[in-house]
Amino acid sequence: MIREMCKKAKVAAFEMGKLSTDAKNAALHKMASALEANTEKILAANEVDVQIAKSKGVKAALLDRLALDQKKIQTVAKELKEVSALPDPIGSIISTWTRPNGLIISQVRVPMGVVGVIYESRPNVTADSAGICIKSGNAVILRGGSDALNSNLAIGEVLREALLSTNVPVDAIQVVPSPNRKVAEELMGMREYIDVLVPRGGADLIKTVIEKSRIPVIETGTGNCHVYVEEDADLQKATPIVINSKCQRPGTCNAAEKLLVHSKIATQYLPVVIAELRKNGVEVRGDEETRKIVPDVKAATEQDWGTEYLDLIMGVKVVKGLDEAIAHINNYGTHHSDSILTTDFGKAMQFIKEIDSAAVYWNAFTRFTDGNQFGLGAEIGISTQKLHVRGPMSVQHLTTTKYVILGDGQIRK
């Protein structure tokens, strides 16, 4: 099954590389309209997945990622239209230069080819990934988790049917119909067909794909994200930032998981911010210094500092200053998104320079690390590695380049 899907995707990818911008944009609009027209069908499939998850005791934050409603489907459709409005990267010239022998050399963007996506929980990823791949001239094979199988298949079917009335080959979008892990492992071995693999999900999924894939992997990271409150921070602004970073959607990878506070303001600030976190249902786990100030805080363990909770839990630590905060974040963080709250320009610049993360913030919350929030359109994931892209990955990031050389009879002597 997987090999046949890959063969079809390879053929489709060749056709995708020849399509015009108008043809791809027209397909994206058809896909968006099809999602809206088939909302009830998709919601019915999603309800089956949600009920199964509830019966298994899946926690609320993860249910939020799984569950769809009419508004979410409308948002996904809107994002497909927004992707269509983005500049087409394919064929764009990155740079051109002329050599002394008269050769004109250009570096030009081209599609990756076939993109494989292995992901968990979020059925909106099915449509987002498909849209980004279509716009960037790629074919895509989507393998979602068992928890969203019915939702993913329903969305995939709707999108493929929409392509029938377009110039985009229907096999440019394929959803793996089996939740079997052996099928996923077979997919990871299809190096001769798939050009790049993007895992999107929890730490265990990403680790498994990195270790078992024979295909080049773009690692989309887990988000053990930090907010550091300096001694000179505007505390009236700091508390809403901390609460919003943790509580708006705790099950996302860009939600803050850890709060670091300068020791000089810890006695003043920790009782205030911890009280606000608790009002919002957050379980606080603190280091020894935090527990001296707020004694009923649960003791944090060494394991806590490196954990992405994806839940209403937050680790709190008191640090002696900026250098200790930076060292802690670079040691325990996942190089995703980290923020400093300070009124001091020099401290902010040191934090920005020395924190080794894909997104570094000054006086803002970590939840802005998102393709749409960055103005990039829908994203296929947030990369925390350094090759070949870092941060939110949108249309332009699913391309590679080729060199085009124009000559007039030159030979090499």
Side-chain angles (χ1 to χ4, degrees):
M1 174 184 66
I2 289 296
R3 186 171 295 276
E4 289 306 310
M5 291 179 72
C6 289
K7 287 179 179 179
K8 291 177 181 178
K10 199 71 173 179
V11 173
F14 179 76
E15 297 301 319
M16 289 296 300
K18 299 188 290 184
L19 289 179
S20 68
T21 301
D22 288 344
K24 292 185 288 188
N25 288 345
L28 288 166
H29 279 274
K30 289 270 190 179
M31 290 160 60
S33 297
L35 288 175
E36 293 172 329
N38 289 275
T39 296
E40 293 306 317
K41 173 182 177 179
I42 295 168
L43 290 180
N46 182 247
E47 181 61 22
V48 174
D49 290 329
V50 170
Q51 291 304 319
I52 292 173
K54 286 181 177 179
S55 71
K56 293 179 179 178
V58 172
K59 56 188 178 183
L62 297 183
L63 281 175
D64 176 64
R65 302 202 312 182
L66 172 62
L68 295 173
D69 55 28
Q70 187 170 12
K71 183 179 179 181
K72 285 184 179 180
I73 293 175
Q74 289 174 344
T75 298
V76 172
K78 178 172 174 280
E79 288 173 349
L80 287 178
K81 294 175 184 176
E82 290 172 349
V83 168
S84 75
L86 294 172
D88 189 344
I90 303 306
S92 64
I93 299 173
I94 297 171
S95 59
T96 299
W97 60 98
T98 303
R99 297 294 297 147
N101 62 2
L103 285 177
I104 301 171
I105 302 174
S106 300
Q107 189 178 23
V108 181
R109 287 198 182 277
V110 295
M112 283 280 191
V114 179
V115 178
V117 186
I118 298 180
Y119 56 107
E120 294 173 326
S121 297
R122 299 181 188 177
N124 63 293
V125 173
T126 305
D128 287 346
S129 299
I132 293 168
C133 288
I134 295 298
K135 180 73 179 197
S136 54
N138 297 293
V140 63
I141 297 177
L142 300 149
R143 195 277 183 181
S146 58
D147 50 352
L149 180 63
N150 295 288
S151 306
N152 293 333
L153 289 174
I155 292 171
E157 183 179 347
V158 167
L159 296 179
R160 283 170 59 87
E161 287 178 356
L163 294 183
L164 292 172
S165 58
T166 74
N167 291 324
V168 172
V170 67
D171 288 327
I173 301 173
Q174 297 182 77
V175 178
V176 177
S178 171
N180 192 301
R181 288 192 177 185
K182 290 185 178 179
V183 174
E185 290 179 6
E186 184 181 357
L187 183 68
M188 295 179 213
M190 294 288 111
R191 188 182 179 94
E192 66 266 44
Y193 300 107
I194 299 176
D195 296 282
V196 65
L197 195 59
V198 181
R200 185 169 176 179
D204 289 343
L205 170 72
I206 294 168
K207 183 174 183 287
T208 298
V209 173
I210 291 170
E211 291 177 351
K212 294 189 176 182
S213 177
R214 294 182 57 244
I215 302 164
V217 175
I218 298 177
E219 182 179 349
T220 62
T222 52
N224 186 26
C225 305
H226 298 73
V227 176
Y228 169 52
V229 184
E230 249 290 340
E231 62 176 310
D232 52 24
D234 183 332
L235 299 184
Q236 287 189 325
K237 292 180 180 178
T239 300
I241 289 173
V242 172
I243 300 302
N244 205 251
S245 292
K246 175 72 265 185
C247 303
Q248 189 203 29
R249 290 194 69 191
T252 60
C253 62
N254 53 17
E257 303 286 22
K258 305 297 180 299
L259 172 64
L260 307 182
V261 177
H262 196 292
S263 58
K264 288 186 178 179
I265 60 168
T267 301
Q268 170 194 0
Y269 185 58
L270 283 180
V272 174
V273 72
I274 289 174
E276 287 299 314
L277 285 166
R278 286 172 167 172
K279 283 181 185 178
N280 285 271
V282 178
E283 175 190 314
V284 178
R285 300 179 185 179
D287 70 340
E288 185 178 348
E289 292 302 313
T290 298
R291 296 180 72 238
K292 286 179 182 177
I293 298 166
V294 186
D296 61 345
V297 164
K298 182 178 179 179
T301 66
E302 175 65 20
Q303 183 179 0
D304 275 303
W305 303 125
T307 298
E308 180 191 31
Y309 298 119
L310 298 174
D311 202 353
L312 287 171
I313 304 171
M314 193 167 210
V316 180
K317 181 177 177 63
V318 176
V319 295
K320 294 178 181 178
L322 181 57
D323 289 340
E324 185 180 343
I326 291 170
H328 180 91
I329 293 169
N330 284 337
N331 184 34
Y332 291 100
T334 53
H335 312 294
H336 193 294
S337 301
D338 300 288
S339 178
I340 183 172
L341 310 184
T342 180
T343 56
D344 187 299
F345 176 81
K347 291 176 181 177
M349 290 304 100
Q350 181 184 346
F351 187 87
I352 288 169
K353 181 180 180 180
E354 296 182 12
I355 289 294
D356 184 21
S357 294
V360 187
Y361 292 84
W362 177 18
N363 290 339
F365 89 144
T366 57
R367 287 271 293 118
F368 282 120
T369 306
D370 174 88
N372 273 303
Q373 293 296 317
F374 280 11
L376 301 173
E379 70 191 34
I380 200 167
I382 298 172
S383 170
T384 55
Q385 67 181 44
K386 298 179 181 179
L387 294 175
H388 77 119
V389 62
R390 208 175 190 197
M393 296 185 295
S394 189
V395 169
Q396 65 270 40
H397 304 119
L398 285 183
T399 64
T400 184
T401 63
K402 68 165 61 170
Y403 286 99
V404 177
I405 302 94
L406 306 182
D408 186 27
Q410 291 92 336
I411 59 172
R412 187 171 179 177
K413 297 179 181 179

